[in-house]
Amino acid sequence: MKNTYAGIPEELAKLEQAKIVLIPVPYDGTSTWQKGADKGPKAFLEASENMELYDIETGTEVYKQGVFLADAVTENASPETMVEAVHQATKKYIKKNKFVTVFGGEHSVSIGTIRAFNEMYPSLTVLHIDAHADLRKEYDGSACNHACAVYEASQNTNLIQVGIRSMDSIEKSVMDKEKTYFAHEMAMDDTWMDSAIDQMTENVFITFDLDAFDPSILPSTGTPEPGGLLWYETLEFLKQVFEEKNVVGFDIVELCPNKKEKSSDFLAAKLYYKMLSYKFVNDAAEAIYDNHYENLKQKTNTLKFTDDDNY
């Protein structure tokens, strides 16, 4: 029998009752430096079992909303087949009226999750929190590489990038600088949170690469970069996004666990639970979840947002 998320009671982990679905994707096929992101979901789940399930800040126990731990997406024949498998699994659970979350794996898994949410929600904003721009059209012969994680989103959604501090010069031709919040600028300007939220549409999907955090608080990631986000400023921003927008789902990627350093695993577990707590803070456990998506048929969002659009 499959274990439940965070060891919650089985009656809260059944698909029929659960409002939340968690899809693990233990994939590490395209990372180019430290390998091990495929071990991320297992380390995250083990850390979650050792976490207190009462959230002090919100005064809630969000696990009572029900969390279904889906079968892991293990397709790894090629980056393209993995992305399609993630796409289909994500879309399947959105259609079941669930709040769908994904835990990777490296960042290429997000190509599939973003594709699914963009097909199901109109005028989608993708909030990309990361150290790296991930805007290459192709890398190492594939468009489904971790270095290309949000290229497709840049073409088909309203992409907001936060925490960026590493990129190739070629990515400048794709990047919308008005919607990119560089780490060195964020450190000097405390208005970045309001500015980023002002540029979002109503429906927001969050893709969170854990290397967005400063390596002083999360060293166990494949490509750590100095100068990253700290814990409470990250929570302040996320809380504001969840309060002001309709967050339709999220993924968390790039935990590269280290047997001698467990705090990163625990931070990832806590971040996931915090994001759920912010999403459901005002929802009674017995209330019905309505995921608000407006189109059951496949939808391609071809609208390319421009700098002068009003939201």
Side-chain angles (χ1 to χ4, degrees):
M1 184 177 295
K2 181 171 59 175
N3 292 333
T4 64
Y5 162 73
I8 66 174
E10 287 190 15
E11 62 267 23
L12 295 173
K14 294 178 180 177
L15 178 61
E16 295 75 19
Q17 285 81 28
K19 296 179 186 177
I20 301 152
V21 168
L22 167 58
I23 307 172
V25 188
Y27 180 78
D28 193 22
T30 75
S31 60
T32 47
W33 191 28
Q34 296 185 82
K35 291 288 187 179
D38 56 325
K39 310 290 194 305
K42 183 174 185 289
F44 157 77
L45 289 169
E46 288 177 353
S48 299
E49 290 183 10
N50 293 286
M51 179 181 64
E52 298 286 3
L53 296 178
Y54 173 72
D55 181 66
I56 297 170
E57 181 188 5
T58 59
T60 63
E61 296 173 294
V62 71
Y63 76 92
K64 292 181 178 178
Q65 305 284 347
V67 184
F68 174 70
L69 180 57
D71 291 335
V73 176
T74 57
E75 173 60 56
N76 62 3
S78 71
E80 289 74 19
T81 58
M82 177 278 298
V83 164
E84 183 56 22
V86 172
H87 170 214
Q88 293 301 331
T90 303
K91 196 168 179 179
K92 176 177 77 171
Y93 289 113
I94 297 173
K95 287 186 173 183
K96 290 182 183 296
N97 201 44
K98 305 299 181 183
F99 184 75
V100 183
T101 63
V102 174
F103 197 96
E106 42 119 308
H107 212 162
S108 58
V109 308
S110 301
I111 300 171
T113 57
I114 293 169
R115 192 176 291 172
F117 278 93
N118 192 39
E119 287 174 354
M120 300 305 292
Y121 290 92
S123 300
L124 184 70
T125 288
V126 172
L127 171 58
H128 172 221
I129 304 175
D130 198 334
H132 305 90
D134 290 348
L135 285 172
R136 288 174 169 89
K137 186 175 183 179
E138 184 181 285
Y139 194 73
D140 279 353
S142 174
C144 295
N145 187 284
H146 72 103
C148 314
V150 294
Y151 173 79
E152 189 174 301
S154 76
Q155 303 302 299
N156 298 326
T157 76
N158 179 41
L159 179 65
I160 309 289
Q161 299 189 277
V162 167
I164 307 302
R165 55 195 189 277
S166 178
M167 62 184 288
D168 188 273
S169 61
I170 198 171
E171 293 173 283
K172 291 192 293 184
S173 64
V174 178
M175 177 177 280
D176 185 340
K177 289 186 179 179
E178 293 301 314
K179 295 178 181 178
T180 304
Y181 295 84
F182 293 104
H184 70 281
E185 295 173 344
M186 291 162 56
M188 306 299 291
D189 182 1
D190 60 6
T191 67
W192 69 267
M193 294 187 193
D194 289 334
S195 175
I197 292 170
D198 285 346
Q199 297 200 78
M200 295 177 192
T201 53
E202 177 61 20
N203 293 328
V204 177
F205 174 81
I206 302 172
T207 180
F208 199 118
D209 186 325
L210 290 167
D211 65 30
F213 285 114
D214 192 80
S216 64
I217 67 167
L218 195 144
S220 296
T221 187
T223 48
E225 289 280 346
L229 289 163
L230 298 177
W231 180 245
Y232 283 110
E233 66 177 324
T234 303
L235 293 188
E236 180 186 356
F237 178 52
L238 289 172
K239 184 179 182 181
Q240 194 173 338
V241 174
F242 276 94
E243 284 177 350
E244 297 187 25
K245 300 296 177 180
N246 176 37
V247 177
V248 296
F250 64 83
D251 66 33
I252 298 175
V253 298
E254 297 283 0
L255 176 64
C256 187
N258 179 340
K259 291 180 181 179
K260 296 180 180 179
E261 195 280 299
K262 295 292 188 182
S263 64
S264 293
D265 306 351
F266 199 82
L267 188 153
K270 198 81 170 181
L271 175 69
Y272 177 83
Y273 201 70
K274 272 288 187 186
M275 292 172 75
L276 292 184
S277 298
Y278 292 152
K279 174 63 182 178
F280 289 95
V281 63
N282 296 315
D283 291 30
E286 62 274 11
I288 296 172
Y289 175 63
D290 180 3
N291 67 9
H292 301 304
Y293 76 83
E294 296 178 11
N295 189 353
L296 279 168
K297 296 180 181 178
Q298 180 163 321
K299 174 194 144 295
T300 302
N301 185 350
T302 56
L303 180 62
K304 173 62 178 169
F305 293 80
T306 58
D307 292 349
D308 56 358
D309 282 334
N310 296 314
Y311 299 126

